[in-house]
Structure formats: structure tokens, C-alpha cells
Amino acid sequence: MSEPRSAPTVGQVVLGRRLLDLRESAGMKREEAARILRVAPATVRRMEMAEVALKIPYLQLLLKAYGVSEEEADAFVLLAEDANKPGWWQRFHDILPGWFSMYVSLEGAASLIRSYEPHFVPGLLQTEAYARGVLQSGAIGQTRPDDIERHVDLRMRRQELLTREDAPRLWVVMDETVLRRPVGGPEVMRDQADRLLDAAELPNVTLQVAPFANGPHPGTYGPFVLFRFAVPELPDMVYSEYLTGAVYLDARAEVATHLEVMDRMAAQAATAHRTKEILRDLRKEL
């Protein structure tokens, strides 16, 4: 049996989709592929859905059956070996839920991240003290000091992607509530405002605040994140979190609806320039 993972790497997701495409192009059903491997059809499905690590012997048998050339198969296997390596975040497996491991993997592979946040500053833009204050509130369901510090460490590590060489574009719309909800006291909030102002100067970061005065907007149902990727095998994907887990949506209609809502919110919110003024005014109030 293939070895399970708490959450797949993006490389496994991409190769799983490629494997599915190769099988379908070969005109082969999952049951036929399963007979080649002498496994249940569910095992083939789990490989294609990146629910298990990609076992190299299985891959070699399937690629040959699908009519893939020896050179292409060798290249596929090399990619699979690399994809099977644990992501850096998996060292936090003791405190990181499986449903959020996938988020961190997608976040690191995205070329564009669009986020709507009605409650807190997005994790990629939080200061260490602000993050600690949010986590101490029990927002993630854990309050043990050691676990909280591990979560803070993970959150700070995630932020490194914003300044790396191939950094994604981050476009955030936050409700004014985010800025008005005190976390950790005035000093923490002042530092957090400074952090947002610094982030807004990055060429790959766009921040917008949706002021109270603008009234309701179409995204008031809850926070969500939209990912876009450079690799064609990965479609746009939406992440939506609830109290004890999250859902990942990649159906075209669902993603299109979220994208339309995000565009409407961005058009209605304060501009990036006006948002900087709002942050500076808030900074003076604190």
C-alpha cells in the first residue's frame, strides 16, 4: 500500500493530475490501471488525487502501460522523487492540522494570492506579537504556551515567501474591523500598523481596507483566499476556513463566483493609496 501523508506537496498534486491525464489519454479506466498494479482501484484514485505519496515502482508500471516514452518516464520519476520529499512546513506536523498543511503548500507555490479577511490581519502580514495575541485568544483551538510559540514560529517562516526572489503577488482586502479589533494592546497594534505600511510598499503587495462607511459588500459571509498558479496543471483554487477545518474549492463555477466577489470588493474598498492614509491615521490614534 502507498504511504499516506498528512497533506500532499504541490508537486504531488501536479504529478497526480498529470498521471490522471495520461491514463485518460491512453483510454484506460482506473480498474484497468489497478489490475496492472494488482491493487484496488481506490489506490489509483488516491495516487491521482495526491492522497498518498507516489510510489516509484507503481509509477514506472503505469507510465509504461500508458505508452509514455522511456525518456519522459525517467523525467516523471525524477519529479516524483523530488515531490515526495517533505515540505519545510512538515517539521511542524505536531501542531499543524492536515487541512492547513495543504494551505501552506499551496501558498508557497502560488503566483497570486488574493485574500479577504474580515477578522484579523492575514497571517502573512502579522507581526510576531500580533500573531501571539491572536493565537493566545484560542483562535486556533490551542492555548498551550509551547504550541502557541510553535505556531508563531511557523507563521513567521511563512512570511519569508513575500521577499523571496520569485515572490507571489499578494492582494488583500481587509474589513475596517480588522484594524479596530484590539489585539495585544496599543503598542502591539501600533507595530502592526507599521508592519502593514511597510508591506504596502513592497512591489508585490496590494492592501485595501473596506471602511465601515462604505456599507455592506458581497464578501461578508466569511474569509476566503484565492490561489492562482503558474503551472497549468493546477487550476485556480479557493480556500475557505471554518471552526474545525477548511474546504478547498477548484470547480470552475465556484472559483469564478469567488473571483467575481473579490473583484467587486476590491472595486468598492478604499484604494491602495487611500488605505495607506487610513493606516497612518490609525497609527496616530493608537
Side-chain angles (χ1 to χ4, degrees):
M1 183 178 291
S2 297
E3 297 177 5
R5 288 273 179 105
S6 59
T9 64
V10 165
Q12 288 172 333
V13 174
V14 170
L15 293 180
R17 288 177 181 270
R18 286 185 184 175
L19 204 59
L20 185 152
D21 290 341
L22 287 169
R23 176 176 60 76
E24 292 182 340
S25 297
M28 194 176 293
K29 295 182 179 179
R30 279 199 180 118
E31 290 76 11
E32 297 174 89
R35 282 195 291 271
I36 293 170
L37 301 180
R38 298 183 179 182
V39 298
T43 298
V44 177
R45 182 194 64 80
R46 287 195 292 268
M47 291 175 66
E48 294 175 346
M49 298 296 103
E51 294 176 359
V52 292
L54 298 167
K55 292 188 75 172
I56 302 305
Y58 283 4
L59 278 181
Q60 292 170 325
L61 287 172
L62 290 177
L63 293 172
K64 183 177 181 180
Y66 297 161
V68 176
S69 70
E70 186 175 339
E71 183 180 354
E72 288 179 289
D74 288 344
F76 196 108
V77 166
L78 286 175
L79 290 172
E81 289 174 339
D82 187 61
N84 283 340
K85 295 176 182 176
W88 66 264
W89 61 90
Q90 291 182 4
R91 72 186 64 174
F92 294 91
H93 66 89
D94 56 318
I95 51 95
L96 189 60
W99 51 266
F100 195 69
S101 293
M102 183 61 177
Y103 179 95
V104 180
S105 181
L106 294 173
E107 183 180 69
S111 58
L112 171 65
I113 303 170
R114 297 188 66 180
S115 172
Y116 165 61
E117 181 52 70
H119 304 304
F120 299 108
V121 172
L124 287 178
L125 300 175
Q126 292 178 4
T127 65
E128 187 173 322
Y130 183 96
R132 186 172 292 108
V134 171
L135 295 166
Q136 286 174 339
S137 72
I140 59 167
Q142 298 182 22
T143 55
R144 289 181 56 218
D146 289 348
D147 290 345
I148 287 173
E149 290 309 308
R150 293 273 284 155
H151 275 283
V152 171
D153 187 19
L154 170 64
R155 197 159 294 187
M156 296 303 105
R157 284 289 310 278
R158 286 171 48 210
Q159 294 182 7
E160 294 174 9
L161 72 86
L162 291 180
T163 53
R164 73 188 187 194
E165 186 175 345
D166 59 340
R169 184 185 177 197
L170 176 66
W171 186 354
V172 174
V173 175
M174 297 181 295
D175 274 344
E176 186 178 344
T177 309
V178 172
L179 305 179
R180 299 295 177 183
R181 175 175 285 113
V183 175
E187 184 177 353
V188 172
M189 293 302 292
R190 279 195 296 270
D191 289 344
Q192 183 59 67
D194 289 338
R195 170 74 174 102
L196 290 172
L197 284 166
D198 289 342
E201 297 301 324
L202 293 173
N204 57 313
V205 175
T206 300
L207 300 183
Q208 292 184 266
V209 170
F212 292 139
N214 286 8
H217 56 73
T220 49
Y221 293 98
F224 65 93
V225 181
L226 192 149
F227 295 109
R228 179 162 293 169
F229 307 92
V231 289
E233 290 84 0
L234 279 179
D236 289 357
M237 196 172 297
V238 171
Y239 168 88
S240 182
E241 194 172 301
Y242 54 92
L243 187 61
T244 56
V247 292
Y248 295 86
L249 309 172
D250 62 3
R252 186 170 299 179
E254 290 179 311
V255 173
T257 298
H258 283 80
L259 180 59
E260 179 183 357
V261 167
M262 189 73 83
D263 285 340
R264 289 173 61 190
M265 285 193 295
Q268 187 174 336
T271 64
H273 177 75
R274 174 60 186 144
T275 292
K276 292 178 185 178
E277 295 177 345
I278 291 172
L279 289 169
R280 293 189 188 101
D281 290 343
L282 173 68
R283 177 68 173 77
K284 294 174 183 177
E285 295 176 18
L286 295 169

